Structure formats: C-alpha cells, structure tokens
Amino acid sequence: MDGLFLENQTWPKVEEYLKKSNMILIPIGSIENEGKHLPLGLDTHVSMYLCEAISRKTGCMVGPCLPLGYSKWFMDFPGTISLENNTLTTLIREYCECLYQHGFRNFIFINPHMGNGNAIADIGRDFRRKNCLVSMIDIWRTFEKIAKGIKLTEKSDLSHAGEIGTSIALALYPEYVEMQHAQKTETSSPLSSNIKHINTVGFSDFKGNNIWTYLQANEVTETGSIGNPVIASKEKGKILLEKMVVFLEEVIKELREVK
Ligand SMILES: [Zn+2]
C-alpha cells in the first residue's frame, strides 16, 4: 500500500513524523450485511481506500484500520460481526490513548458506518479536555450530499447498499459485486402503517415528524439493503470517489490549521 500507514513505518519514522505533525487519520468500518449483492466488508474497504488516497495526497499518517464496528441490528444477516457499543468505545479509547502518549493530538476518523458514531463522539468529547481535536467524517452521508449536489443519483438519502454504495463498490472492486442479486428495496412498516422506517438504525417517520423505533434490520428490509442498487454504475462510483477525495483533502487542510 502506498499511503503513509503507521504499521508500515519504523518507530524512528513515526518520531520524525511527529516533529512535523500531530495529525492522524483513522479508518474505521464494519462487517455487516450490505444487501444480497455486496460484500460484508464494504464499509471497512471504503474507509481504507479513502485513507490511502488522502494520505498519498496530503502526507497525513494513517493509523491501523478498525475493521469491526457496532452493527447489532444486522445480526440476523449471516456473517455480520458486531462489537458491543461499550467494547467499541473502549477499543477506540485505548487506541487513541496510545497515540496520545506518543504525541498525536488531531484525530480524524474516516467513518462509513453510522453505528460507530456514538463511540467516536464519546471519545471526542473526553479528548477535547486533553487539548485534542477528534473529528469524524460520516462518509455515506457525505457521498449522498455530493451526489445530490451534482444530481448524479436518484434520491438516496439514508440508503444502505443502494445506488451510491453499490456504485462505489463497482468502482472499487467489481469482482465482489453480484449485480444479479441486486434489487430495489423499500423499507417496510412492520409496526403500523403510520410509522415508516426510513433506515435500519431506527430513524422513522410518523405523520411527517421523526421518531426512533429500534427494530432488527430484517424487520424493515428483507434484502438488508435500502434504495435502488439496480441503477448503480462504476462510472457514478468513480465520480463520487474523486469528489470525495477532493473534499477530504480540503477538510484535512482546514483541520491542520485549527488550534
Ligand atoms: Zn454500515
């Protein structure tokens, strides 16, 4: 791999890096259902790909990937591996604590999995008291905004393994994508016809307002995906990835300047 991965450096090289920068990118992902057509490790692969790409452009160091996240609601789909939220929080805390001891102060999580957000936020708030800055980029929400901005895809807010996720997978590794199993999936309303589940995490619509109802994902989506992966394409994925890398480069430049 081409980026500046911490695990590929010697300790004197890390020492040298820390004289110039206290910033580190942390790829975090999940191993979870991504519909019937995408591999379980999509989130993890996307965060690794993006970290490598940004590291090459900015020279920013990348910490070891945290490949497992909190995905409990997907456990009825074979292969999903979820940590307990407490475990994930402890894991991230101890990871960042070690980096802190060596002198890192500016932590940027490249996070394509919403379920990891609470654990990262918890550490971020505590580390702020130690004069650190912890940031997190919600990768799928950012892809959705980018796609909307250039009218590249159908409405795909809060989709999962839908048009955007599948396009990214087709651009990154078409050999793992089984388009013959991709199918358009709408969320169902298993509780009542008035409560419409918007995503698998629990975000729901009730008469135009939002409430949270925590179900297992297979109660809401039979395939595990939400959205329309059928109209995904490699070309769309390439455009999205290019624009994402440009955006992340800008974020890193901005966060380098902050106190
Ligand atoms: Zn996810």
Side-chain angles (χ1 to χ4, degrees):
M1 274 182 289
D2 219 4
L4 195 60
F5 283 85
L6 180 130
E7 66 260 44
N8 298 339
Q9 312 301 312
T10 58
W11 70 258
K13 286 240 173 74
V14 176
E15 188 173 63
E16 207 49 44
Y17 175 86
L18 281 161
K19 286 179 189 157
K20 299 175 297 184
S21 175
N22 61 15
M23 182 181 265
I24 189 152
L25 295 170
I26 303 174
I28 183 165
S30 75
I31 302 296
E32 68 181 19
N33 143 67
E34 295 287 351
K36 287 181 172 174
H37 62 294
L38 297 180
L40 301 163
L42 178 67
D43 289 344
T44 300
H45 296 146
V46 169
S47 64
M48 283 294 281
Y49 171 85
L50 289 174
C51 281
E52 186 178 2
I54 320 158
S55 178
R56 261 195 266 120
K57 296 224 171 207
T58 63
C60 191
M61 191 166 278
V62 182
C65 181
L66 293 166
L68 299 176
Y70 172 71
S71 309
K72 224 178 201 179
W73 59 97
F74 283 129
M75 279 307 296
D76 291 310
F77 293 96
T80 297
I81 301 176
S82 174
L83 300 176
E84 290 289 340
N85 203 45
N86 285 343
T87 312
L88 181 65
T89 308
T90 304
L91 180 71
I92 299 174
R93 187 181 302 281
E94 293 183 3
Y95 178 120
C96 289
E97 195 60 54
C98 293
L99 293 174
Y100 176 82
Q101 282 185 39
H102 300 308
F104 288 97
R105 296 291 181 267
N106 202 335
F107 305 83
I108 304 176
F109 284 85
I110 301 300
N111 177 30
H113 178 62
M114 211 185 229
N116 298 337
N118 287 342
I120 298 168
D122 197 31
I123 287 122
R125 295 188 180 110
D126 289 346
F127 270 57
R128 190 63 183 154
R129 300 214 173 273
K130 309 197 311 177
N131 281 327
C132 293
L133 179 65
V134 176
S135 317
M136 187 270 281
I137 320 295
D138 184 332
I139 294 300
W140 293 121
R141 302 295 82 73
T142 307
F143 272 132
E144 287 167 5
K145 287 223 159 175
I146 292 171
K148 199 183 245 178
I150 55 172
K151 297 189 171 71
L152 185 72
T153 57
E154 273 186 358
K155 184 182 174 296
S156 42
D157 300 351
L158 297 169
S159 62
H160 181 75
E163 183 183 1
I164 291 178
T166 307
S167 296
I168 298 296
L170 284 168
L172 289 184
Y173 42 52
E175 67 276 23
Y176 293 147
V177 181
E178 299 182 4
M179 280 309 276
Q180 70 277 23
H181 297 305
Q183 67 187 75
K184 187 174 179 176
T185 308
E186 307 277 359
T187 50
S188 56
S189 304
L191 295 176
S192 87
S193 56
N194 285 326
I195 300 174
K196 165 121 179 93
H197 287 264
I198 296 169
N199 65 8
T200 52
V201 186
F203 193 58
S204 314
D205 176 277
F206 177 63
K207 300 189 172 182
N209 287 311
N210 295 122
I211 60 170
W212 289 78
T213 50
Y214 303 103
L215 304 181
Q216 289 302 316
N218 62 347
E219 296 182 82
V220 178
T221 159
E222 177 229 333
T223 60
S225 60
I226 296 176
N228 190 5
V230 178
I231 53 172
S233 75
K234 185 180 202 151
E235 291 67 36
K236 290 177 198 171
K238 280 190 173 160
I239 293 170
L240 288 170
L241 285 168
E242 267 169 37
K243 294 206 176 283
M244 176 64 88
V245 171
V246 171
F247 168 74
L248 291 174
E249 244 187 288
E250 281 177 25
V251 172
I252 283 164
K253 277 192 193 136
E254 194 78 18
L255 290 175
R256 257 185 187 151
E257 302 302 320
V258 298
K259 293 269 167 262

